[in-house]
Amino acid sequence: MWGFITCMNDILIPYLKELFNLTFFESMLVQFCFFGAYFIGSVIYFIISTTNGDPIDKVGYKKGILFGVFLAAFGCVLFYPAASFSSYGLFLGALFILGLGFTVLQITANAYVSLLGSEESASSRLNMTQAFNAFGTTIAPVLGGHLIFELFSEPDGSFSAAATKIPYLIFAGILVLVALIISRVKLPDFKVEGEEAVKGFGALQHNHLIFGVFAMFCYVGGEVAVGSFIISFLEQPQIMNLSEVVSKNYLALYWGGAMIGRFLGAISLNQSISQSKKALYMAGAAIAVFLVIFSIVNLTFAQISFFLVFIALNFIAFFIGKSAPARTLSIFAAINVVLLISAMLNHGELAMYSILGIGIFNSIMFSNIFTLAISGLGKFTSQGSSLVVMAILGGAIVPIFQGYLADRFGVQHSFIIPVFCYIIILIFGFYCSKYLSHVKQDAEVKSGH
């Protein structure tokens, strides 16, 4: 549900743009309000945790997760009055509340997953949970697009604000049901023992954390910006000249690629699996997930067969990366730079395939950037983690800049913004592959090993 509702923004953007006759810049306020809530919520949480201790440690991870789910459900309910008054401002307010709910989940759920096992396998576990998150982002364009563009649209096919009423009330009901299920499930509890909460800004002494915060800003910004513009990109006459109803299925491929890559990443980055078994498991996972995506999207096999090329390229990139998070991150970022440049320079199907292929190489970036940024922070790990979560602000800022360029120079040329984002990520991965190896060697020298 977390992934599903987040990806619904990509449906809302062209819908609200048409409904309220917005510019690209104005329509990107959807992402600005939603992801801006991540930043504001994280700042509030950071201030509370450094002055009064970690709130989650006081109430427990389970209650923290429940609060986040209920707050997100309340945000969905607010779509009803927004649609009733047909007010763009109220829609943005509802999205902000919804984003605050997911901010709480971002802080609690990701940290909880990292605690459910060894530190060495945390990146693999985070990739696995994000793979299921990506399942939500994959079905959202198809199911959500059908609800808003078709099922609840006006009889003549025109858009009305009322088309969001029932869908978001359904989403709110499902979230409440999820919360009730979680409340009845017994979950392990974790309490911080020993040191009190670290105060001040000691985490900022670590250069790789500062760089990691910037890299996370660029990653979330680049991923959200590309996803936000896919429907508008495919509508362009020189690209595919597709309608929203058809484009939403291709948008599902973009997010479906992330799901494939995350399942593969969970296997590839798992140090306990031998190389021979990794290849077998990854092949099986890729085939299974590809068939799931094929069953979801309303496209023929011929229309999505090009995706097999990206899956093969993804395999090669993983094995070149040799299960090293930093090296793999740089390789994936470099491929996305090439794909974006191709989408900017070419027309027709080649441009479309290039932009859709970015999703599968976005896959492992969140977990790899997150774990690399907080690596070796010691007592500052919790503080560093909250700073990395704040960087999700990129999802609010980058699409706004791309929207401005799209209004001035056209949608196709506006993708120069995410090109720079992925270049930064490429450099961060290269930096960590060198810097963190030196940190590890220094630590081993000091410990006498």
Side-chain angles (χ1 to χ4, degrees):
M1 286 303 298
W2 181 352
F4 183 96
I5 294 178
T6 299
C7 188
M8 279 298 297
N9 290 353
D10 295 340
I11 298 297
L12 284 176
I13 287 169
Y15 163 75
L16 294 175
K17 183 178 183 296
E18 179 76 18
L19 180 64
F20 294 106
N21 194 27
L22 307 172
T23 64
F24 282 112
F25 178 84
E26 291 168 336
S27 66
M28 287 302 132
L29 290 175
V30 167
Q31 302 293 27
F32 181 80
C33 289
F34 183 81
F35 287 99
Y38 277 78
F39 176 74
I40 293 174
S42 296
V43 168
I44 294 171
Y45 186 91
F46 178 76
I47 293 172
I48 293 173
S49 65
T50 53
T51 55
N52 299 311
D54 194 334
I56 298 302
D57 186 49
K58 293 181 178 180
V59 303
Y61 282 93
K62 184 174 181 178
K63 289 182 180 178
I65 292 171
L66 288 173
F67 177 73
V69 175
F70 277 120
L71 187 58
F74 178 62
C76 289
V77 171
L78 291 178
F79 271 75
Y80 194 91
S84 297
F85 290 101
S86 190
S87 169
Y88 187 47
L90 289 179
F91 274 113
L92 296 179
L95 284 161
F96 182 80
I97 299 299
L98 189 55
L100 285 179
F102 287 149
T103 302
V104 177
L105 285 173
Q106 187 81 16
I107 294 171
T108 54
N110 284 335
Y112 190 69
V113 168
S114 69
L115 291 171
L116 291 171
S118 67
E119 184 178 352
E120 291 74 18
S121 58
S123 181
S124 177
R125 284 196 304 279
L126 201 53
N127 264 303
M128 179 60 74
T129 58
Q130 290 230 327
F132 286 97
N133 182 284
F135 176 70
T137 63
T138 302
I139 64 175
V142 179
L143 179 57
H146 174 70
L147 292 175
I148 291 178
F149 289 138
E150 299 175 75
L151 186 60
F152 292 105
S153 65
E154 294 297 307
D156 61 357
S158 61
F159 292 166
S160 72
T164 60
K165 283 184 177 180
I166 302 302
Y168 275 85
L169 283 180
I170 293 173
F171 301 157
I174 296 174
L175 284 171
V176 171
L177 179 61
V178 169
L180 293 175
I181 293 172
I182 293 173
S183 68
R184 300 298 297 270
V185 175
K186 291 184 178 180
L187 297 174
D189 199 13
F190 297 94
K191 292 287 184 181
V192 176
E193 299 178 356
E195 292 185 354
E196 296 181 357
V198 177
K199 298 181 180 181
F201 297 91
L204 295 177
Q205 298 171 4
H206 299 268
N207 292 331
H208 71 285
L209 171 64
I210 299 173
F211 201 167
V213 170
F214 187 39
M216 183 63 80
F217 178 95
C218 292
Y219 158 67
V220 178
E223 180 184 55
V224 171
V226 172
S228 299
F229 275 92
I230 282 180
I231 290 179
S232 297
F233 181 71
L234 298 182
E235 286 178 341
Q236 300 300 303
Q238 76 275 20
I239 306 301
M240 296 299 292
N241 199 27
L242 300 177
S243 66
E244 290 95 343
V245 175
V246 179
S247 296
K248 65 180 174 55
N249 295 296
Y250 285 101
L251 176 61
L253 286 182
Y254 172 75
W255 293 109
M259 177 168 61
I260 294 174
R262 285 168 184 167
F263 275 115
L264 298 185
I267 299 169
S268 175
L269 299 173
N270 192 324
Q271 305 293 338
S272 64
I273 303 176
S274 66
Q275 290 296 325
S276 58
K277 288 185 177 180
K278 279 183 182 181
L280 181 62
Y281 293 163
M282 289 172 69
I287 294 171
V289 178
F290 179 80
L291 291 176
V292 169
I293 295 172
F294 178 62
S295 66
I296 293 173
V297 298
N298 187 25
L299 297 170
T300 66
F301 181 80
Q303 288 174 309
I304 70 169
S305 59
F306 73 92
F307 224 69
L308 295 173
V309 176
F310 289 115
I311 293 175
L313 184 59
N314 197 250
F315 260 82
I316 295 171
F318 268 122
F319 283 104
I320 294 175
K322 297 180 180 178
S323 301
R327 187 187 300 119
T328 304
L329 180 65
S330 287
I331 293 170
F332 277 37
I335 293 173
N336 275 355
V337 169
V338 173
L339 289 174
L340 280 166
I341 293 174
S342 173
M344 292 173 60
L345 297 179
N346 294 298
H347 297 153
E349 290 187 342
L350 182 56
M352 179 182 73
Y353 295 157
S354 297
I355 211 72
L356 297 180
I358 292 169
I360 195 169
F361 297 101
N362 278 335
S363 55
I364 50 85
M365 288 188 181
F366 180 91
S367 59
N368 285 23
I369 293 172
F370 195 95
T371 52
L372 289 169
I374 65 174
S375 178
L377 295 188
K379 64 181 181 180
F380 297 112
T381 298
S382 179
Q383 188 180 95
S385 298
S386 66
L387 292 173
V388 177
V389 171
M390 288 181 197
I392 293 175
L393 177 68
I397 302 299
V398 176
I400 287 286
F401 278 99
Q402 186 168 349
Y404 175 77
L405 287 187
D407 288 326
R408 293 291 301 274
F409 305 106
V411 172
Q412 192 168 13
H413 294 116
S414 71
F415 283 102
I416 189 65
I417 295 293
V419 166
F420 286 114
C421 290
Y422 288 108
I423 289 175
I424 296 298
I425 297 169
L426 189 162
I427 297 171
F428 172 69
F430 181 78
Y431 173 81
C432 286
S433 66
K434 301 295 182 183
Y435 175 78
L436 293 180
S437 63
H438 292 313
V439 170
K440 185 176 180 180
Q441 288 172 3
D442 292 343
E444 289 175 348
V445 170
K446 290 180 181 180
S447 62
H449 296 294

